[in-house]
Amino acid sequence: SYLDRVIRLYGLSAHPALFSTGNGPLLTLFELLPQLAAPFEEFYGQPGIPVCASVSTAALSVAQRMGCDPIVLVGQDLAYSGGRAYAKGTVYE
């Protein structure tokens, strides 16, 4: 399975059952959430990853934190043009 060959990235606020998926190396992060940030920032010495409730935003934030430059997104739309929700009919609308 490909899950046995890829880095598994998990937020520290994720459900513990998620850590049992795959066998690849585990890389943890913590989200920039006011309720959780202070103790983790003190421990890690840096702020959390801005996620904005989006996997795409989280992936971009992780790439930036890892020092990727340039970052090229192909086919990814992070905009909410004209004040409309990207995915019509979702809870974000």
Side-chain angles (χ1 to χ4, degrees), residues 6-60:
V6 298
I7 296 173
R8 299 175 296 150
L9 182 65
Y10 289 99
L12 293 176
S13 61
H15 189 281
L18 294 174
F19 290 90
S20 64
T21 304
N23 294 313
L26 182 62
L27 176 63
T28 58
L29 63 84
F30 71 98
E31 296 87 354
L32 185 57
L33 301 172
Q35 303 88 337
L36 303 173
F40 291 129
E41 286 179 7
E42 186 176 332
F43 180 76
Y44 283 106
Q46 58 185 339
I49 299 291
V51 294
C52 301
S54 165
V55 173
S56 298
T57 305
L60 179 61

Side-chain angles (χ1 to χ4, degrees), residues 63-87:
Q64 287 177 317
R65 180 67 58 87
M66 294 177 75
C68 297
D69 183 23
I71 298 171
V72 178
L73 303 175
V74 178
Q76 182 61 53
D77 183 359
L78 299 174
Y80 287 88
S81 303
R84 296 173 302 164
Y86 179 75

